[in-house]
Structures are given as C-alpha cells and as structure tokens.
Amino acid sequence: MLSIWAAKTRPRRQRPDLRATVRDGTDAARDFLDYLLRTQAIDAAGLEQALTALDRPGQRPLPVLLTESGLLHEATLVTALADATGLGFLREEEVPAQAVLPDLLDGDYCGRARVLPVSDGDGVLTVAVVNVFEAETAAALAHLTDRRVSLRIIGPGAFERAHRAVYGDGEAEEAGVLDGDLAQLQDVASQAPIVRLAARLVRKAFELSASDIHIEAEEADLRVRYRVDGVLVESERLAKSVQLALTTRIKILAGLNIAERRLPQDGRMQVADRGHDIDLRISTLPTAHGESVVMRVLDGSRRVEDFAGLGFDESAIAQIDAMTRRPNGLVLVTGPTGSGKTTTLYAALRRINGTHLKVVTVEDPVEYRMAGVNQVQAHPGIGLDFAAALRSILRQDPDVVMVGEIRDGETARIAVQASLTGHLVISTLHTNSAPATVTRLVDMGVEPFLIAATLNGVVAQRLVRRVCVACATASEATPEERIRLGRPAEGAPLRLRRARGCATCNRSGYHGRSVVSEVMPLDADLRALICAGADEQTLTAQARASGMATLAETARAKVLAGETTLEEIGRVFEGLV
C-alpha cells in the first residue's frame, strides 16, 4: 500500500502520532483531530462534534466535514494538514489548464473521489487530494494509471473551483442531487452541521455587534461578510457545497419558499440572545452563482441613546429640541441608507414622550420598542403602506406621529396636512443635505408655501466611526492634513488621533460610531426664500448666514476633537473633507 505521509521527522508535540503507512483512514483522521486540539485549532467541543460525526455511517471525509460544519476555516485546515503530514499543498496557479490523463481519469471519477490530477511525467502522477486519510484512493490511482503517485493537499472549496475550471462541470455533485429533491434538501438543511453553521454565523454577528450578515454566492465558494460600524468586513469563505443547504436552512427559519430560487424573497425570523429575542430580516437575491442572502439584525430591546450619546454637540441638541418641542409642524431627518436616521428619530421621541402626549409611529420595520408609544408595523403587501397607515393614525387623535420614511408624494402630502392640523410629525427622507430637503419635497409635489408654513427644521446626518480609545495613538498633523482641516500649513502644533487596531476593535482601529450633523432650523428669512421658490444653493447660503454648520464643518470639528480621523471622514464624505 502506498504511503500517504511524508517521512519527515518533527517533534511529537507538533504533529499527530501517525503511522508512516496509513492502513485505517479513520484512525488517521482521529489522530489528526487530536493534533488540531493540541495546537488549539479547535476546542474540546469541536473535537467532540467532529468525532461524533465521524462515527456516522456514510459520513463525508474529515476535511469536508470540518469546513462545512464551520469548525475550521479552509486555509487553516490546509496549513494544518500540510504541517501534520509533510505533504505540500496545491496552489491556485498550479491548477492545470486542461485535464491530465483524461482517458484514464475522467471528470466524473475525479469529482466523486475528490482528486485532481496535476501533472504526469517520468512515471510519476502528481495528484491533489481532499481526503489524505483515504489511502485506498492513492492505490486506486496507481492501479488505474500504472504510475507512481505523488500526493498534494487541496482544500474542499479549492478542489471544487479547480475541478470546475479543468472539467467544466456545473454545480457540485451534492448540490446537483439536492436540487432535484426538495425532501432530501430539507433533510440535509435540518442536519446538525448545517444547523450549527447557521447558528454560528448569527452568533458571530452578535459578538461583533454587526448590523448585517452577508452570505454571498460566488463562482467557487460562499463569502461571509459582516457590516460592523457601517463597514463590511470579510469573515470567512465557505465551501460551495454548503450553499444550497445553508440557504435552505435560513429560508425554512424565515418562512420562505425553498423551491423558489429564481425570484427575490423577503422574510423574517427570530432568535434568542442573552435572554431576549432579536429579529432578523432576511432578503434573498438570485445571482449568477446562486442565491445570496442578507440578514439584517434588529435588536428591538436595545437602549435608545440620547442625542449626546449619538454624537450631537450641545448646539445641535438645543436646535433639535426647539424643533421637536413645538406642538405642531414637520421635522425631517435626512441622509443616505444606514446613516442612523431612525435612531435619531427615536432619540427625539425619548425626549418628548410622556403621559401627557399620545405618540404613534408607523415603521417598516419596527426597529426599537419604546414603552408608552403606539408602534405600527407597515405591511405594504396587504395595503398597509405608510400613506394608508398615516391616514388611520390621524383618526386615533395623536399628538406626535413618527413616520418611518417619506417615500412618495402621497405620504409627503398627508404628513404636511397632518402638521397643518395641529400634529407634530417627524420622519426621514433621502437627501444629501438639509437645504436639499426643500427641493426634494417640491419634487414630490408639495407646494412651496406649504413647506414654508409647516417645516420646523431639518437634520441632515452621516455616521463616522469613532477611534478606538483602547489603542489610539497621536502624532503631529502633516501640512496637507492641516490644510484639509482649514488650518495654515504651518503654525501652532496640532496633534491628531490615529487609528491603530487591537483586539477590542477587531483590529480595525475604530469602535462605535458618531453622528456628523447639519441642523437647519427654519427662520423667517428661510421661509421667505422657500415661498419665493429659491434654489438649493440660495437656501444653503442663507442657512449658513443664519449659523448653520455644514456636514463638512462638523466632521472637521470631530477630527480636531480626537473623536475620529481624517481618513474616516474622507471615506464617508468621498473627498468633501
């Protein structure tokens, strides 16, 4: 029988106790698991999980089991196998451009055996194998080709990419079988490895305080990314073979149609974390390489921050208070998706909510739960959109109405009419600046004189990451940085905080986010200009003359205060600062 382990000698503590010739692949696999435990690549619970799985009849090879269950990242697996066995691993650039010995070893056989012939010369066939613990595979290759066999290691995901590139097959064999059998697919999606994998991905989102989980279908694997403090961070790559089962698992939990993979679907599921329930909003999207899934994490039990905690300065807080403590009128918070608009609305509700007021909200989704507030979940699919809900809410005799978003002219007109009839209406809108809000409302069909009569003010905002206080450093500003901050290139010393990276901030250098705001209360001069149909530039000039600090000016102030960095505001404002 062929040896599949190198004769290289290493200290016993660094490699498993494996025989030079492996006669029992299961024993070798168990020894390798012990090695992974000793080197802390897996923990005791992971070891027990893998050992239990190995005992099941017909279980997949250990390397596939470890990656598909999420116990080990493929790159870690390949490195550990190479270290433990002394075998080299196949690099991407070494994948052959065409099949080697296709008459003797066809693509179907190589796919089933998870082997990839790499080169043939001087009586030696070099083959990359996924399961190095199966000695019979090497023996079979030697018998079929009448050559000596030299083995290399390849990870399960890398093998699928290489096999597809060389032999041009479509989906992985397992996915192809599952695709035609929904009952079997449901069964696989409910098996422990897939259940644990899905749970692990969600649990990591909690650990990272991520707002979204992205599971993206690519040609050869699945990419998992988390949105942390507004920035997508790649976490890992999963084997392509788990795609269908993992997506199906999420669809089952979200109440979606597992048979429909041609159309986008939206759903929701609820999970428990640290004693309270958390909603996950699920969106699936068909792509060229299969369905991609995004899960938005909505923890309604989170504490609603006050304005200071969100990052508003004292001047901005005073202005927002003045806008929202009036008995009627319209207050709008604007900015792009993900800029914290809804959180700002809730901070405003927190300040004005009380037993003397009836507060009603209509949202999609309800992101926070607040005592004393009547919260309505919009359901456009059954006709309960923002406009319809708003009409019904006004019959409930509210004092304050919060509309999650003004998306169309009808909702805008109803909101304006409600503010004219003695209600305080607060909502969000997508515009790039506070003055641009007026132009946007006019474009939606609201008359300028109604805007002037009802609009109390506008808050435009963005979110920037805060420098991690645990690892931040400081150094003198360069002449270029001083100019970007509105300072002379030379002058009094100016030290700026720098992001570095540590375990606390997940090596990003930033932890948490802060609001950069542009607050525009409406005074008599602005109202007159709106009635006269003034353009955005004219309104901006007047607002600045009245004391409005622009987004860029507020951002620079946060850098000077050491709260964030020039690099971060440059990322958010794309050259504006």
Side-chain angles (χ1 to χ4, degrees):
M1 187 170 292
L2 292 176
S3 168
I4 69 167
W5 305 108
K8 199 183 288 186
T9 302
R10 300 190 185 199
R12 186 177 181 82
R13 63 180 181 85
Q14 291 186 350
R15 61 181 302 179
D17 183 17
L18 299 170
R19 292 161 290 177
T21 300
V22 179
R23 296 182 176 87
D24 187 339
T26 302
D27 285 346
R30 290 175 184 273
D31 289 338
F32 179 64
L33 286 172
D34 289 336
Y35 168 73
L36 292 176
L37 180 65
R38 291 199 302 272
T39 57
Q40 299 182 339
I42 61 173
D43 56 18
L47 174 66
E48 184 62 30
Q49 176 182 333
L51 288 172
T52 301
L54 276 178
D55 289 336
R56 295 195 189 105
Q59 183 54 255
R60 300 174 188 176
L62 179 62
V64 178
L65 187 153
L66 288 171
T67 54
E68 290 191 357
S69 66
L71 285 172
L72 214 59
H73 191 281
E74 182 163 315
T76 305
L77 168 72
V78 170
T79 301
L81 281 171
D83 185 61
T85 66
L87 296 173
F89 57 86
L90 187 71
R91 301 182 186 278
E92 187 174 351
E93 60 269 19
E94 296 175 317
V95 174
Q98 56 187 11
V100 175
L101 298 180
D103 294 337
L104 300 177
L105 304 170
D106 63 26
D108 288 341
Y109 169 80
C110 292
R112 290 193 301 272
R114 289 188 171 94
V115 300
L116 182 75
V118 178
S119 64
D120 175 43
D122 298 327
V124 177
L125 175 66
T126 300
V127 182
V129 296
V130 171
N131 188 16
V132 297
F133 306 109
E134 185 55 73
E136 285 75 10
T137 299
L141 290 169
H143 176 74
L144 288 170
T145 63
D146 195 25
R147 288 162 173 79
R148 289 186 295 113
V149 175
S150 174
L151 296 181
R152 307 278 288 281
I153 295 168
I154 187 170
F159 169 77
E160 290 181 10
R161 291 193 295 273
H163 189 272
R164 188 175 294 109
V166 173
Y167 295 101
D169 59 342
E171 298 294 329
E173 179 186 2
E174 177 194 21
V177 172
L178 294 176
D179 194 37
D181 190 339
L182 291 179
Q184 184 182 357
L185 178 56
Q186 284 182 296
D187 180 60
V188 172
S190 300
Q191 289 178 1
I194 295 299
V195 171
R196 281 192 289 264
L197 174 58
R200 180 176 65 79
L201 296 179
V202 173
R203 184 169 60 249
K204 187 167 184 178
F206 299 154
E207 294 169 354
L208 295 174
S209 297
S211 61
D212 301 88
I213 308 166
H214 292 246
I215 304 171
E216 299 166 316
E218 299 198 341
E219 181 179 4
D221 55 19
L222 287 181
R223 178 169 65 168
V224 179
R225 297 194 289 176
Y226 295 90
R227 190 173 294 279
V228 181
D229 291 334
V231 177
L232 278 174
V233 179
E234 183 167 330
S235 172
E236 59 187 294
R237 299 267 179 165
L238 300 176
K240 186 74 173 177
S241 56
V242 305
Q243 176 178 325
L244 200 54
L246 178 60
T247 303
T248 301
R249 175 65 185 169
I250 294 169
K251 283 183 171 183
I252 290 171
L253 294 175
L256 301 180
N257 182 358
I258 66 170
E260 180 56 75
R261 292 192 288 274
R262 301 165 300 171
L263 296 173
Q265 296 188 69
D266 295 299
R268 59 183 295 176
M269 55 190 275
Q270 198 172 70
V271 296
D273 177 57
R274 297 182 290 272
H276 59 270
D277 292 330
I278 293 177
D279 284 329
L280 296 175
R281 293 302 171 106
I282 312 300
S283 171
T284 68
L285 182 70
T287 71
H289 303 301
E291 288 180 293
S292 285
V293 179
V294 174
M295 296 188 281
R296 187 179 184 193
V297 183
L298 299 173
D299 185 357
S301 65
R302 286 176 297 174
R303 176 179 175 271
V304 177
E305 293 279 356
D306 58 21
F307 285 131
L310 294 177
F312 289 96
D313 60 33
E314 292 182 3
S315 174
I317 293 172
Q319 290 175 314
I320 298 172
D321 268 344
M323 296 175 191
T324 55
R325 291 190 183 277
R326 294 178 61 179
N328 60 279
L330 179 63
V331 178
L332 296 174
V333 181
T334 74
T337 301
S339 58
K341 300 185 296 296
T342 301
T343 304
T344 297
L345 291 185
Y346 269 99
L349 287 183
R350 180 185 177 191
R351 294 174 78 89
I352 63 179
N353 186 31
T355 57
H356 64 294
L357 293 175
K358 177 159 185 173
V359 181
V360 185
T361 75
V362 53
E363 309 165 65
D364 186 19
V366 175
E367 294 193 27
Y368 297 88
R369 297 180 184 92
M370 182 176 286
V373 175
N374 298 274
Q375 297 174 274
V376 177
Q377 168 68 55
H379 291 285
I382 60 173
L384 188 63
D385 56 15
F386 283 128
L390 187 50
R391 288 193 202 94
S392 298
I393 286 169
L394 294 177
R395 294 193 286 270
Q396 291 281 308
D397 187 30
D399 297 290
V400 180
V401 178
M402 186 189 100
V403 182
E405 182 183 344
I406 294 178
R407 297 176 178 174
D408 52 53
E410 184 181 11
T411 306
R413 288 189 292 273
I414 297 172
V416 167
Q417 290 297 327
S419 63
L420 276 174
T421 55
H423 306 88
L424 177 66
V425 180
I426 62 176
S427 187
T428 69
L429 197 65
H430 288 280
T431 65
N432 290 325
S433 68
T437 304
V438 175
T439 307
R440 176 71 177 131
L441 288 172
V442 172
D443 290 342
M444 296 176 84
V446 182
E447 296 289 345
F449 75 89
L450 289 177
I451 299 172
T454 59
L455 191 59
N456 294 350
V458 183
V459 180
Q461 67 179 60
R462 303 289 190 279
L463 292 177
V464 296
R465 292 179 296 173
R466 288 185 167 111
V467 179
C468 176
V469 296
C471 62
T473 61
S475 63
E476 188 67 24
T478 65
E480 180 186 6
E481 289 174 330
R482 294 174 65 96
I483 292 171
R484 289 178 64 192
L485 289 168
R487 300 294 181 87
E490 296 180 0
L494 177 62
R495 291 180 66 78
L496 301 179
R497 252 180 161 178
R498 312 288 184 181
R500 188 176 64 178
C502 65
T504 300
C505 59
N506 198 32
R507 305 295 170 187
S508 68
Y510 300 90
H511 188 64
R513 289 192 285 179
S514 179
V515 167
V516 172
S517 64
E518 180 177 273
V519 184
M520 187 183 78
L522 262 67
D523 57 18
D525 293 330
L526 279 171
R527 293 184 194 279
L529 287 173
I530 292 171
C531 282
D535 59 18
E536 181 181 335
Q537 290 73 24
T538 303
L539 294 175
T540 300
Q542 179 57 50
R544 296 193 66 185
S546 299
M548 182 187 78
T550 66
L551 288 167
E553 290 166 346
T554 307
R556 293 189 189 101
K558 287 189 176 289
V559 175
L560 291 170
E563 193 169 348
T564 189
T565 65
L566 268 174
E567 291 77 14
E568 174 63 6
I569 64 173
R571 179 189 69 84
V572 172
F573 291 96
E574 297 181 358
L576 180 62
V577 180

